[in-house]
Amino acid sequence: WLMFGGTDESKGFDANVEMALQPSRSFSYPEISWVQAGTASEAMELCNVSACEKHTSDVWAGEHGFWLKVMGPSMTSPIGPSFPEGFLILVAPDFEPRSGQFIVAKLVDSNEATFKQFIWDSGRAYLKPLNPAFPTVEVDDTWSVVGRVVDAKWPRSVL
């Protein structure tokens, strides 16, 4: 019955059964600069988004999601997850981070953002680089979270 769709093997599959189309979802977000990321909400309004390079993802990053290209070696790890220079990260500004997740944060008096792992330990928040050669920074009231990283990939130009 499973093989032929009915009790009579000569019938083959039932005429009223066919493969359903699978939904495909893809969201397109602009790639902005690290300085723009430091002023993310303003940047998305002021930036000519049509002039920005766009990348797609099957992950929803909200209305104001954006891609950043990783700069520097602080998130390159010798073991475990690693985000080498040139890797793209998708930032969701409207999502709250939890301990262990990756975020983009900025100093309140600076426009440039940084990418680190968010750690909550003993009532304190930290920004931890994956590269052990870089220091972990305690988050105080001089820091603000720009958004949570919800996707990452190599840009097509690398492949």
Side-chain angles (χ1 to χ4, degrees):
W1 181 83
L2 288 176
M3 182 180 260
F4 297 107
T7 56
D8 182 6
E9 292 183 18
S10 64
K11 283 174 135 182
F13 291 105
D14 284 342
N16 66 348
V17 177
E18 63 183 36
M19 290 294 293
L21 289 174
Q22 298 299 311
S24 64
R25 60 181 184 174
S26 181
F27 307 100
S28 183
Y29 300 101
E31 179 185 332
I32 65 173
S33 74
W34 284 91
V35 172
Q36 288 171 313
T39 57
S41 59
E42 297 90 358
M44 296 312 290
E45 293 168 8
L46 299 174
C47 174
N48 184 357
V49 175
S50 63
C52 296
E53 185 175 359
K54 292 192 175 188
H55 306 283
T56 59
S57 174
D58 61 351
V59 178
W60 174 246
E63 292 284 325
H64 303 291
F66 56 89
W67 289 97
L68 290 171
K69 193 171 283 186
V70 174
M71 297 175 63
S74 71
M75 292 300 283
T76 303
S77 174
I79 56 168
S82 185
F83 302 89
E85 188 165 10
F87 215 66
L88 291 171
I89 56 173
L90 178 58
V91 181
D94 302 326
F95 291 68
E96 287 295 318
R98 292 189 311 256
S99 187
Q101 293 180 325
F102 300 101
I103 66 166
V104 173
K106 73 174 195 103
L107 284 168
V108 175
D109 61 350
S110 170
N111 283 339
E112 193 155 345
T114 187
F115 168 47
K116 300 290 184 270
Q117 185 175 29
F118 179 75
I119 302 295
W120 184 261
D121 185 32
S122 300
R124 292 190 173 149
Y126 299 92
L127 297 176
K128 178 185 173 193
L130 295 178
N131 186 334
F134 289 82
T136 297
V137 177
E138 186 172 352
V139 177
D140 55 21
D141 58 354
T142 62
W143 287 92
S144 68
V145 174
V146 173
R148 179 170 56 107
V149 175
V150 294
D151 195 10
K153 66 181 181 179
W154 281 109
R156 286 195 157 178
S157 61
V158 173
L159 302 176

